[in-house]
Each structure stands twice: as C-alpha cells, then as structure tokens.
Amino acid sequence: RGRVNLRVCSYNRFASIKKPRGRQVELQRFLGVDAGGTFTDFFYLEIGNETRVQLHKTLSTPSAPEQAILDGIAALGLDKLPKGAVLHIIHGSTVATNAALEGKLAKTAFITNYGLGDMLSLARQTRPELYTLQFPPQQDPVPEALCLETGGRLGADGCVVEPLTDAELEKLIAELQTLQPEAVAINLLFAFLDDGFEKRISEAIEAAGLPVFISRSSWVLPVYREYERGIATWLNAALGPVVHGYLSRLKAQLPDAALQIMQSNGETLPAEQAADSAVQLLLSGPAGGLTAMRYLGTQLGEDRIISFDMGGTSTDVALLSGELSITTEGQIDCYPVAVPMVDMHTIGAGGGSIARIDDGGMLQVGPQSAGAEPGPACYGRGGKLATVTDANAVLGRLLTSGTLANGLQLDKALAVEAIANLASQIGLSNEETALGIVRVANEHMAKAMRLISVNRGHDPQQFLLASFGGAGGLHVCEIAEAMQMRKAIVPVYGGVLSALGMLVANQGRQFTRTVSTLLPNTNSSLADSFAALEAQGRQQLLDEGSAPDLLQCKRSADIRYQGQSYALNIAWQDAAQAAQDFAALHSQRYGYKLEVPVEVVNLRVNVFVPRQLPGLPEYEQQICNKAETTMVYGYDAPVSVFDRLTLTVGQSVSGPAIIREYAATTYVAADWQFQVDRLGNILLERCEPILASGDASNRSGDFL
C-alpha cells in the first residue's frame, strides 16, 4: 500500500498512504468516537487519493457527554470542513450504561396483564450470593403506582385467553393521563406469538396524544420468559428519553454529519433508530474494542485471542475464537439484559480505580473510580485518593515527563503523597504499597479472565493475550504471567483501539423468534421461520438506505437439552449439524453430554452490511533512536525508555523496558522481549529460561 508517513503533532497522530496518481478521488471522512468514563477517544480516517489517519484523546465531560465529542471534533479541525462535505461519525456511548447504573432513568409506566403487575419486583427470587442468607432489599424497578394491569392475554399456544376491550383501553389512557409518565413499557404474556394486543395499546396511547416514549416487548425482545422480556422492555422505555435527548443535542450541534451508534452486539445502527433501541446500547463502547481486536486478529492471522481493555474506570475482558461471541445472558447492575450483546466480563479495575484499606486492614482496589473529575491524584485536578495510575507513577512504570490529553501533565509528587497516606496505615514503604496496589488490580483482571476462559473449558496458553486501552500496556506482562500465557500483543493505536473498532464494525441488526421445538424433524418449519426473520431484517436495513446487493445474513439458534433452563447459541446450517455442534460445545463448556432430546428454543438471524475500509497503513520508523533511561522500582540499573515511533520493524529488545506513545504506555517486564511487526503492533513473548551454562541462545525469537 505504499510508504507511510507518521508524525506526532500536539496530541494528534497522522498516517498517510499515497495512492497512484490519476483522477482525483472524492474524499470520504470517517470518525470513530469512544466516549469512556475518563477519556473520550477519537480515530479519524480520511480516504481519497491518499489515506490519512489521525488520533486524538480528550478528557470526558460526564455532566454533558456531547461536549467532549464537540471539543475533540474542533481539536481535529473537523468543525471547519468544506461546504457539502459529509463526516461519517460512528459513536460508542456510555450514556445508556451510566443512566442505568446511576438510576437516572425516565419516569416509566409498566403495562402488563391482570395479576402480573408485580412481575418485575418478584423477579426470579434468586439470591445475589448463594451462601448469603441475608442481604439488603433491592428497590423495585417500577414503583407499584406505575404498574398498570389490563386485559389482552394470550395462552402458550397463541390463543386468546382474555380479550382486550375498548373500556379497558379507555381506563389505561385515563390512568396514564393522571400519572403523567415520560415513557410506557408494554409487556403482555406471550406477545411474541402475536403482537396484536400490544399494538392496540400503543396505538391507543398515540391516538390520545400522550407525550410519552412507547416500548413494546414484542418489538424489543420477542422471546419467551416474561420477566427477562419485561426488564428489557422497561429498560428500553426508561432509557429511551435519556438517549433521545442526548442524541438530539449531539445532532443539533452536528447537523451535517451522518451519525451512527455502536450497539452492544458489535454492530452499528443509524442515530435516528438508536433511541428506539436504547437497551441495545448498554455495551456500546466496550463492543468497539472487541470489534477492533477481531479486525486486527484477521490481519495477523490470529483467531484465538483473550483481550483486556483497561481504561480509566473499568476493564473489559473477552475471549475471541473466530467470530465475536454473542450472549443473551448479560447483566447491568442487578438486572438481566437478555438482548444480544458481545460476551465480555467487566470489572471495576481501571487506571482510576481507587485503593483503600478496609476495616480488616486489607488493601482493596476498586470498584470505585476517580473518573475524569477529579481523576487520579497525579492528574493535579484535585484528586487526593490513591489510584492504580498513581501506583504506576510511584513505581516509575508510568513516566511523568510527558504530556497527556488536554495538555495534562502528571505530577509524581502528588502521586507519592496519595500513596503515602495508605502506606502509613499498613506500615509499608510507598513503593511496596504501590506494588501491592498494582498486584491486587492485576489479580482482579486475571480472575475475570479465568471466568471467560478456564471456567468455560479453554486453555489460556493456546490463546494470544491482547492488551489495549490507555492503561492496559502497563499490566500486560504480569497478567500474562498470572494466566501462564507466553505471548501477548499491544496493538497499534492501542490507546484508542475502541474508537478504531467503531469504524470497522458492520451495520446490522439481530432478529429473534421463539420456536421451542425438538430436533431433528423440523427442518422445513425452521427454514420458513428463518426466512421470515431474514425478510424482516432485510426490509429494515433497506428502509435505512442499505444497498440490497451488500446485505448478508447469518443464522443461529439457541439450543438446549430438553428440560434445561439455559441454552447455547449454535451457528445454523441444518438441524443435524446443529445438534452435533451443540453436543460438542456442551461437552467443552460443561464437561459432559447427554443422550436426551435436543430442543431449539430461539432462532436468531443477523442481517448486516459489511464495513468496507482499507487496511491499516504499514509502519515505519519515524524518529531516530534516542538513548533514554529511567529508574523503575525493583531494578538496580536504569531501565531503557523507547518512544514507540523510534522502533523499527523486526527490532528485538529484551526487558525491562518502557515504551511510551501518544495515549498509552507499555511496561515490558524482565524475562520478556518485544519486537514491532509491519503494522506497528508490539509483539511480546516470555523468554525461555537461561541454561545453567549461561548460554542464553535458547531465548525464543519466534514471534506469533
């Protein structure tokens, strides 16, 4: 793809790929935005006769999330584009997630059948912890006064058990007029079999002119299990006005931009439809990082990856084995979220996670975070509590000589002061306390990785560990050792990788239908059901302007042994193959398989338009090597410091070392070595033990 020119300018990084001379190609402009809890990341891609990459990072503005995005666009100079130029923005947002976690939801009325008004309060009657007999009561999702009951009940066979009368509709409208909610969630029994009653209620509310956001379970999640379906419908309704307000403000400030939003399943949808699908945005940001890692894995020829995205507030861990793994058993706070989302585990261990001493005198880290305001103590923005970032600064692994986003200059003295407050409580030195903070955070992340790998029958040693996010590179070697993994990678653009993921994500939807039928004698009926779902999905994407010849479909099914409560999702070719694949996956996941009938619970169809973007530019050294060292706790001699742009492709360096770059830092521990591949990825490998004779020639140089 030609030569690449990289240069660092302020807080932006540029790369260009020159194309052969010829006719002028119309410029296409794409901006990926990942709005995190601490930082908002930007990845700008400009495609024409020359391809240009530009990075930016700025502190988030939690009180007005759109402001950080507007600030970043201005800093990149994209607010002064030529008249008629279209900027395609693909945005991963934490607005829905934060609103759900903080309880900042719209006032929502919940409509269901007679006798089921307390459905969401009763939940599944499961204890938060198996052996905890007493635990604090949880607040009802919807207050009793806002739970309304009516007719329109179906049986499990789809037949009408109780009709919905005009008088009941009039009563509902009168109650809503009195309660004056901002949103209404409609969840009738077995509405996924026939949505007629739910539609009648929705149409009556609209005809009455009530200014409310309406969410129907038969549209949000048309599957069985009334509680999970009810929670998803309620969350979608309660988040709808919040998301709509945010996107309206953002669109008003960017009237000429084409705005798409990342969904929890790793695909995008137009902003105009995002408010109607607010519950689909709960993992919007983290899904971007996993999508980018799959994209990079394809370029590297690696399809078995364990990734961890460590930002300022949290860490997201996931396992990739080919395609993105999608689950319908996600959770937000204490509520199950049964809509499709990338299968990842999130913990409160980020660079801003606060360290403390508990009542028993033990050192604890997280889940509370210093966030962007005030941030870690070393940010010099008023934070006084010790964080993981402060600990890395005290240890010397995070350099304080550089400048971060927004011109932020780290102050090591403030980090030392914050750590000293803890050290005095436990009788250790500042450095020993800082090392303890890092080790506790590392163990939290390693534990999360074991949950998504070892606990599911995977051997971590057969996977590549991928670390990204602004803080990930500081912990990658030690976490790999904790997982007994020998190889790791810090991807190019690792500090803003989730923003890149927005640009490489497909535009698409997931469509679901409950069928509850036994295998294998149902091929024809299942084929008809799959075809109906595909037709529905194709029509939706065509209505949004997708080209018919670009649309693709993937089929899968939720399958279980008859009598089980939970199912596994299996890619669908035909009934016989699906049964075999289910048995194999069940054996791997749980260690056994049964000789009992196999049941298809739900059919799922993914309809999407593949994102077609050029490959990443190849890397070449841009800055001459400069000899620089620093003192790092635990080493007697100074440790080498490299600027990432001083490294050459194939250059092999043994640790300990520190690699700094815009938006991230990588700490290479002793007994590790690294080199840079053609794309600029840092490839890490644990060195072989040195022989007793002192011959170190057996150190492996075989990367990836």
Side-chain angles (χ1 to χ4, degrees), residues 243-263:
V243 172
H244 181 268
Y246 165 69
L247 292 178
S248 296
R249 295 192 301 272
L250 188 60
K251 288 283 289 181
Q253 296 289 335
L254 302 169
D256 298 325
L259 182 61
Q260 293 232 345
I261 307 298
M262 174 68 87
Q263 300 175 91

Side-chain angles (χ1 to χ4, degrees), residues 630-644:
T630 189
M631 294 304 299
V632 177
Y633 178 72
Y635 301 102
D636 296 330
V639 171
S640 298
V641 177
F642 298 89
D643 190 299
R644 192 159 183 168

Side-chain angles (χ1 to χ4, degrees), residues 150 164-177 204:
T150 189
L164 176 63
T165 66
D166 292 340
E168 288 169 325
L169 285 176
E170 292 174 3
K171 180 184 176 184
L172 274 179
I173 299 303
E175 290 175 320
L176 291 174
Q177 288 172 334

Side-chain angles (χ1 to χ4, degrees), residues 127-179:
R127 294 197 297 271
E129 297 179 19
L130 183 60
Y131 297 107
T132 301
L133 300 181
Q134 295 182 343
F135 45 86
Q138 296 180 357
Q139 185 176 358
D140 293 341
V142 182
E144 183 179 355
L146 288 170
C147 295
L148 309 180
E149 299 178 359
T150 189
R153 178 167 179 166
L154 299 177
D157 57 358
C159 294
V160 176
V161 175
E162 195 170 49
L164 176 63
T165 66
D166 292 340
E168 288 169 325
L169 285 176
E170 292 174 3
K171 180 184 176 184
L172 274 179
I173 299 303
E175 290 175 320
L176 291 174
Q177 288 172 334
T178 301
L179 294 170

Side-chain angles (χ1 to χ4, degrees), residues 496-545:
V496 294
L497 197 70
S498 291
L500 167 62
M502 309 298 166
L503 299 186
V504 299
N506 298 329
Q507 179 181 344
R509 299 284 191 287
Q510 299 269 351
F511 298 89
T512 309
R513 176 177 296 173
T514 292
V515 291
S516 295
T517 185
L518 296 179
L519 288 179
N521 299 317
T522 51
N523 268 321
S524 60
S525 61
L526 291 181
D528 292 341
S529 297
F530 272 123
L533 284 177
E534 288 182 356
Q536 176 188 354
R538 286 179 178 275
Q539 189 58 54
Q540 281 200 24
L541 266 70
L542 289 175
D543 292 343
E544 295 168 10

